[in-house]
Amino acid sequence: MTRFDPKELRNALASYMTGVTVVTARAMDGTPVGFTANSFTSVSLNPPLLLVCPGNHLSSFDIFATATHFAVNILAEGQEAVSNIFAGSKEDRFSQIHWSPDQFDCPLIDGAAAQFSCSLQNRVEAGDHHILIGQIQHYQASTKRGLGYCRDGYFSLSRERQSEAAAQGEQKFICGALVEYHDELCLLREPQGLFIPMVKLNDRSGARTSLLHHFDKLGLKAGIGPVYSVYDDAENGEHVTIFRATLLEKPALETVEFRPISQLSTNEFSRPVNADMIRRYREEHDHNQFGLYIGDAVRGEVHPSGGGGGDSGESGESDDSGESGESGESDDSANQ
Ligand SMILES: Cc1cc2nc3c(=O)[nH]c(=O)nc-3n(C[C@H](O)[C@H](O)[C@H](O)COP(=O)(O)O)c2cc1C
């Protein structure tokens, strides 16, 4: 067998960037156990399978090597401390975090980006690790971004983007639309998830014209109605204006999906900012009464728009994506 320098080999393998998970289970005597793992991989959708690799160096190895169930918690940005606890702490790890048991009694960690409860489907001995293949029996997902890990340590996409925007000292102007067709919303399916149509502007002006060009490119025939939301997204260095729009005919495009507005699930959206706006939109659509949000990604105010569901254009007739940007001091958090 070829011998490699273990440290060098580990370094080479660590150039592969990953997320971070905490894998948990229960010992026979009921003690919760867990370790930090980046060997997580999604394996199959049908049946739903994933894998993780506990090493025989783990103090809990025997428990994982015989477990019939385990849980995988994908840590969210900001959970570096949780990762460190499960990678090193010698104290009782579970007394240092908030968690609750799943239906198999495996610990689910609060604030994780996603949690998967699994039954063991297969276990393969592979050198100094085991490969645990789990069948997902239940899962919960959020819109939080996962924490990243590479040779240099943890990283977070939000922080990277924030500092990139700050370094460039520039704000991007974005406009988008909630495109309705009767009681359905028209959404774009992209590899990262569902998005509403959005386009980058060169400057503050020409939002409606740019949006119409963008609709053309996407193959959508739509009319643009009033402004629905105007907010600064500091995390991405963006000033965003969202309009309501109405589709004139339903296109048969693979890239486009229609969802009943009353059943829109906020979990499906890739950016938390969109999910909050969608939640408000779903509620307002129910009452056929739409407001105008002005604020930022966390705090702002919904201004009543007066008219009912019609495209009255009361506050949105300007072709200017650079609304005043006043940030209301109300407690309407994150409801853009
Ligand atoms: C980011 C990260 C990823 C890790 N991935 C794994 C892994 O996939 N499998 C593994 O056995 N150990 C992995 N470890 C190491 C264990 O988390 C670490 O050895 C832990 O302290 C073991 O728990 P113990 O103290 O109960 O033995 C990882 C550590 C870090 C920081």
Side-chain angles (χ1 to χ4, degrees), residues 19 34 54 89 180 240 248 250 263 274 279 299 304:
S89 170
E180 289 171 29
V240 185
L248 306 177
K250 197 170 185 173
Q263 288 168 30
N274 277 352
R279 198 173 296 121
R299 193 174 272 256

Side-chain angles (χ1 to χ4, degrees), residues 36-55:
T36 298
N38 63 349
S39 54
F40 166 82
T41 300
S42 58
V43 176
S44 161
L45 284 180
N46 190 15
L49 301 177
L50 54 73
L51 70 79
V52 286
C53 305

Side-chain angles (χ1 to χ4, degrees), residues 18-21 23 33-40 52-61 64 83-90 93 128-130 147-150 153-154:
T18 67
V20 186
T21 70
V23 186
V33 291
F35 68 100
T36 298
N38 63 349
S39 54
F40 166 82
V52 286
C53 305
N56 61 16
H57 66 279
L58 297 177
S59 62
S60 52
F61 178 72
F64 282 101
S83 173
N84 289 338
I85 289 169
F86 285 88
S89 170
K90 300 291 168 224
R93 293 175 176 172
D128 53 14
H129 280 61
H130 280 191
L147 178 64
Y149 190 78
C150 67
Y154 300 108

Side-chain angles (χ1 to χ4, degrees), residues 174-179 196-201 206-218 220 222-225 241-245 319:
I174 309 282
C175 74
L178 295 164
V179 185
I196 61 169
M198 289 186 116
V199 65
K200 197 173 162 191
L201 305 173
R208 283 168 187 272
T209 314
S210 301
L211 206 48
L212 283 174
H213 282 314
H214 190 54
F215 286 164
D216 259 358
K217 269 201 227 157
L218 296 169
L220 302 176
I224 300 178
T241 304
I242 304 293
F243 294 86
R244 286 178 58 221
D319 191 14

